[in-house]
Amino acid sequence: RNRNLQAKFSSLNQIFSQVSLKLPDAKVSRSGLDLTITQLYCRNLNVQDIQLSHNVESTTSQKLTVKIIGLKINCTFRWEYKW
């Protein structure tokens, strides 16, 4: 079953494998610890399965739920902290 799911999304994963995401810098401060993350890049996105469900809530409203299963991604970043 796992091999079948990988084949199902192989074309999509081929496209994702060529994508590089640069995410914004982030700062977190908790209990006297200041953590800064910079130069955050994510690559090699891989999806095992995507499940969609749809519900009609009213004549003018609908709900679409997207569930991603088996998401893998490689990220690199620089970090520093102050204590």
Side-chain angles (χ1 to χ4, degrees), residues 13-60:
N13 286 330
Q14 175 100 21
I15 294 168
F16 285 155
S17 72
Q18 300 172 23
V19 173
S20 177
L21 303 172
K22 175 162 182 2
L23 301 175
D25 295 346
K27 293 184 179 187
V28 177
S29 295
R30 293 279 193 292
S31 303
L33 174 67
D34 297 326
L35 176 66
T36 302
I37 296 174
T38 59
Q39 300 178 29
L40 177 56
Y41 291 93
C42 295
R43 299 172 183 84
N44 300 323
L45 178 66
N46 184 284
V47 174
Q48 184 179 15
D49 194 14
I50 299 173
Q51 297 176 355
L52 303 175
S53 62
H54 174 261
N55 294 317
V56 176
E57 295 187 336
S58 71
T59 56
T60 59

